[in-house]
Amino acid sequence: MGIEIERKFLVRDDSWRSLLTIPGVLLRQGYLAGGPPATIRVRTDGVQAWLTIKGPVEGIRRAEFEYPIPVADAEEILAHHCMGPVIEKIRHRLPHGELTIELDEFRGENAGLLVAEVELPSEDTLFSPPAWLGEEVTGDYRYHNSQLVRHPYNTWK
């Protein structure tokens, strides 16, 4: 069984931009099911596509199953079979010691939202956030992409 162990943070400032060495990648993703008990999403980066099934969150871990699918199939699913708007975001990958921080700059109805995630090899892995990371929002479901489909960031008060 695949397991995802992840922490999420808001981004405090733009100083992370000085760490970029390669351009970000545009991700488009849509949800077929928003849980519980599982979320099912389709994601494409324009070159590759995946179907991902995630179980319920338990602390900072959850079951995750990810399968490559044809890009044409993913585009069809995104265009006609997903609930809510398709999420678009630019993903930046930033090395941080032995780990990689994935920083998402949201577009469309979630424009203005910056969320950084770090996947950990185990739940007890120590992670010292860089200064440009702000509040940890790991347990705040509003920041889950499956929730941003239902309640986009630009509708928050």
Side-chain angles (χ1 to χ4, degrees):
M1 173 170 77
I3 297 290
E4 172 186 68
I5 301 169
E6 178 180 85
R7 291 175 64 187
K8 289 181 182 246
F9 298 84
L10 297 179
V11 178
R12 184 183 315 274
D13 61 46
D14 280 346
S15 62
W16 60 273
R17 292 187 189 279
S18 68
L19 305 172
L20 294 176
T21 58
I22 59 172
V25 174
L26 175 64
L27 299 179
R28 296 181 68 239
Q29 64 189 48
Y31 287 83
L32 301 164
T39 59
I40 303 171
R41 79 162 183 237
V42 171
R43 174 187 280 171
T44 181
D45 66 6
V47 178
Q48 301 175 75
W50 304 266
L51 176 69
T52 305
I53 302 163
K54 294 187 178 194
V57 176
E58 298 171 6
I60 63 171
R61 96 186 275 137
R62 68 194 302 187
E64 179 182 61
F65 306 92
E66 190 163 71
Y67 307 97
I69 63 172
V71 172
D73 290 359
E75 294 295 346
E76 176 71 17
I77 293 167
L78 288 169
H80 302 290
H81 304 290
C82 293
M83 58 187 213
V86 170
I87 294 206
E88 292 188 347
K89 57 190 180 180
I90 304 293
R91 170 154 295 168
H92 302 282
R93 296 176 57 81
L94 303 160
H96 184 70
E98 299 291 318
L99 302 170
T100 299
I101 297 172
E102 295 179 331
L103 190 150
D104 292 335
E105 281 187 277
F106 287 84
R107 302 286 191 242
E109 295 187 29
N110 292 294
L113 179 60
L114 296 170
V115 176
E117 303 173 346
V118 61
E119 286 200 29
L120 304 171
S122 69
E123 289 175 274
D124 60 354
T125 299
L126 295 177
F127 174 68
S128 180
W132 49 266
L133 284 183
E135 177 186 357
E136 182 166 2
V137 293
T138 301
D140 190 336
Y141 292 100
R142 294 177 303 163
Y143 295 98
H144 287 210
N145 287 264
S146 61
Q147 295 303 307
L148 291 171
V149 167
R150 293 182 176 127
H151 306 288
Y153 184 67
N154 69 11
T155 66
W156 297 9
K157 303 251 181 220

